[in-house]
């Protein structure tokens, strides 16, 4: 049995408020613990979005009542609410700016809002961006102009990761994350699975995937799930929303990569604990660790999931490495031994801390 630190996911969608039929703080943080994550950061593209102080305050209270693990919330940048950024900041761990289209209406396309973000958001808190294609260059330009850190979410294309590598070599304060689905799936899987493998950014070519793996030991800072659950009926509808769940499959997939010699266990811990904590300035969690059996083989199954959506694009895949136990602040909060799913979660709703 291996003992590792509790994992940190800097990119999770918990769907509160407005999407509770997809996920909420209780089911999302249960899925987090079942995936070995003891601290997760939730994205602001909810309905309404976490772009005003009132919604942020209410959502924090809901998180505090229901969460099984520690949770931080992102504030969202929105042109109509850009004057609220200063009021939002004390309640958020970071700011998210959507430069490209994704699920929900949060989007920034005008330079005035971008400048307001960089001028008013506190320097002690990171600005994270959903930036695809040429928008990566926009983010790098803003990081350089304002001399402040920018974190790029779910980088998926060869040209993007190569540009970020160049910016880092120039000493610019940029960091980035990649997701397991962009490491383990290509556009061919999107053809096979249809809406169940549709997310933003979309799955890429084999050459893009190879480039992400090639930069995993150097340019990539974090491994993030971009856990983005939707109900199966929504995914099978005429207008399927983009996004796939990921909290419960990230660790087994990455342990499989360690088993195959594609990355070291030390690097996995840097990508899933050490760098996320440093970049997002997150507190240590004392007496917190996970136990994994690195040799156990399992087949990923929809029936084993805690996420409310109840499906994963990785169903049927055989993985090597299984989570056995999660300890948060000295308490066993998850134990994979019981056969019945509902007996594995041992944390009380509300026992998680809400940051900051
Ligand atoms: Zn996302």
């Amino acid at each position: 049995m291996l003992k590792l630190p509790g994992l940190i996911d800097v990119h999770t969608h918990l769907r509160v408020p407005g999407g509770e039929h997809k996920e909420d703080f209780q089911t999302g943080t249960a899925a987090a613990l079942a995936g070995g994550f003891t601290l997760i950061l939730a994205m602001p593209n909810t309905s309404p979005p976490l772009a005003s102080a009132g919604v942020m305050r209410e959502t924090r209270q809901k998180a505090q009542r229901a969460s099984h693990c520690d949770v931080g919330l992102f504030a969202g940048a929105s042109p109509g609410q850009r004057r609220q950024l200063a009021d939002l900041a004390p309640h958020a761990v970071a700011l998210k700016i959507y430069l490209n289209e994704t699920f929900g209406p949060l989007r920034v396309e005008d330079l005035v809002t971008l400048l307001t973000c960089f001028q008013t958001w506190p320097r002690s808190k990171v600005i994270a961006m959903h930036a695809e294609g040429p928008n990566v260059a926009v983010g790098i330009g803003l990081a350089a102009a304002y001399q402040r850190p920018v974190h790029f979410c779910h980088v998926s294309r060869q040209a993007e990761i190569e540009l970020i590598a160049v910016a880092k070599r120039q000493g610019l304060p940029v960091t980035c994350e990649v997701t397991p689905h962009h490491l383990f799936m290509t556009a061919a899987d999107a053809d096979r699975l249809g809406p169940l493998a549709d997310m933003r950014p979309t799955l890429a070519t084999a050459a893009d995937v190879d480039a992400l793996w090639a930069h995993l030991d150097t340019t990539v800072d974090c491994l993030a799930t971009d856990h983005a659950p939707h109900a199966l009926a929504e995914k099978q509808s005429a207008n399927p929303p983009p996004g796939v769940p990921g909290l419960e499959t990230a660790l087994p997939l990455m342990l499989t990569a360690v088993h195959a010699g594609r990355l070291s266990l030390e690097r996995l811990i840097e990508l899933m604990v050490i760098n996320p904590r440093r970049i997002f300035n997150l507190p240590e969690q004392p007496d917190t660790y996970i136990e994994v059996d690195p040799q156990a083989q399992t087949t990923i199954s929809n029936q084993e999931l805690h996420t409310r959506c109840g499906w994963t694009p990785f169903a049927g895949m055989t993985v090597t490495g299984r989570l056995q136990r999660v300890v948060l602040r000295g308490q066993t909060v998850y134990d994979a031994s019981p056969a019945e799913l509902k007996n594995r979660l041992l944390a009380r709703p509300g026992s998680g801390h809400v940051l900051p």
Side-chain angles (χ1 to χ4, degrees):
M1 204 69 80
L2 275 176
K3 188 175 163 184
L4 308 175
L7 306 178
I8 300 172
D9 187 11
V10 298
H11 194 143
T12 307
H13 298 267
L14 295 181
R15 305 306 191 197
V16 178
E20 290 85 351
H21 64 288
K22 305 169 193 277
E23 197 81 287
D24 62 21
F25 286 111
Q26 201 161 326
T27 56
T29 55
L33 289 178
F37 294 95
T38 51
L39 168 52
I40 59 178
L41 304 187
M43 284 293 165
N45 61 332
T46 49
S47 181
L50 307 185
S52 69
V55 175
M56 183 61 106
R57 255 195 312 274
E58 265 178 50
T59 307
R60 270 185 72 105
Q61 285 165 5
K62 289 177 185 167
Q64 189 55 75
R65 279 196 295 272
S67 297
H68 296 103
C69 71
D70 295 354
V71 174
L73 302 177
F74 275 87
S78 159
Q81 290 159 307
R82 63 177 187 271
R83 282 178 197 84
Q84 303 225 16
L85 284 170
D87 292 337
L88 280 170
H91 307 290
V93 287
L95 176 68
K96 176 76 177 280
I97 304 177
Y98 290 90
L99 295 178
N100 290 87
E101 192 199 337
T102 186
F103 179 68
L106 267 190
R107 181 94 179 264
V108 177
E109 287 179 302
D110 67 290
L111 192 55
V112 172
T113 303
L114 282 177
L115 298 200
T116 305
C117 291
F118 277 77
Q119 286 160 358
T120 61
W121 189 252
R123 282 187 170 261
S124 58
K125 298 187 182 196
V126 165
I127 294 178
M129 284 188 180
H130 178 146
E132 297 184 43
N135 278 334
V136 174
V138 171
I140 290 171
L142 288 164
Y146 286 93
Q147 282 297 307
R148 59 175 298 170
V150 168
H151 177 78
F152 291 100
C153 301
H154 44 49
V155 174
S156 68
R157 299 307 196 261
Q158 180 174 2
E160 296 167 354
I161 198 70
E162 287 179 352
L163 178 57
I164 290 168
V166 170
K168 285 184 161 203
R169 279 202 294 276
Q170 295 299 324
L172 295 175
V174 294
T175 55
C176 69
E177 69 193 33
V178 298
T179 71
H181 50 258
H182 289 121
L183 288 172
F184 286 87
M185 288 181 155
T186 67
D189 294 291
D191 293 342
R192 180 173 60 87
L193 292 165
L196 293 189
D198 180 36
M199 75 290 288
R200 298 294 175 274
T202 55
L203 292 173
T205 67
D208 290 315
V209 173
D210 288 347
L212 296 185
W213 281 104
H215 283 268
L216 204 60
D217 269 342
T218 51
T219 313
V220 177
D221 297 282
C222 305
L223 213 286
T225 69
D226 196 6
H227 176 81
H230 294 288
L232 194 56
E234 293 170 325
K235 285 299 239 182
Q236 292 169 337
S237 72
N239 267 319
V244 301
L247 278 170
E248 294 169 84
T249 46
L251 177 62
L253 287 168
M254 295 317 292
L255 287 173
T256 303
V258 171
H259 184 76
R262 303 189 80 180
L263 86 160
S264 69
L265 196 59
E266 291 69 27
R267 185 61 182 158
L268 183 148
I269 299 305
E270 284 174 8
L271 293 168
M272 298 182 83
V273 183
I274 294 169
N275 294 345
R277 178 173 289 137
R278 175 177 49 80
I279 291 164
F280 286 86
N281 198 16
L282 303 170
E284 293 276 345
Q285 295 174 297
D287 301 318
T288 296
Y289 57 90
I290 64 175
E291 290 172 351
V292 302
D293 179 347
Q295 303 296 334
Q297 278 212 348
T298 53
T299 300
I300 295 174
S301 137
N302 290 339
Q303 281 70 44
E304 293 276 303
L305 300 174
H306 293 73
T307 172
R308 179 161 287 149
C309 76
W311 62 273
T312 162
F314 295 106
M317 188 170 166
T318 298
V319 285
T320 306
R322 182 173 198 258
L323 178 77
Q324 288 296 346
R325 197 161 79 97
V326 180
V327 174
L328 175 57
R329 288 183 281 276
Q331 305 286 321
T332 299
V333 286
Y334 185 84
D335 184 340
S337 317
E340 278 217 57
L341 214 58
K342 63 176 169 49
N343 296 332
R344 296 180 188 174
L345 183 69
L346 303 171
R348 191 171 46 76
S351 57
H353 294 176
V354 178
L355 308 176

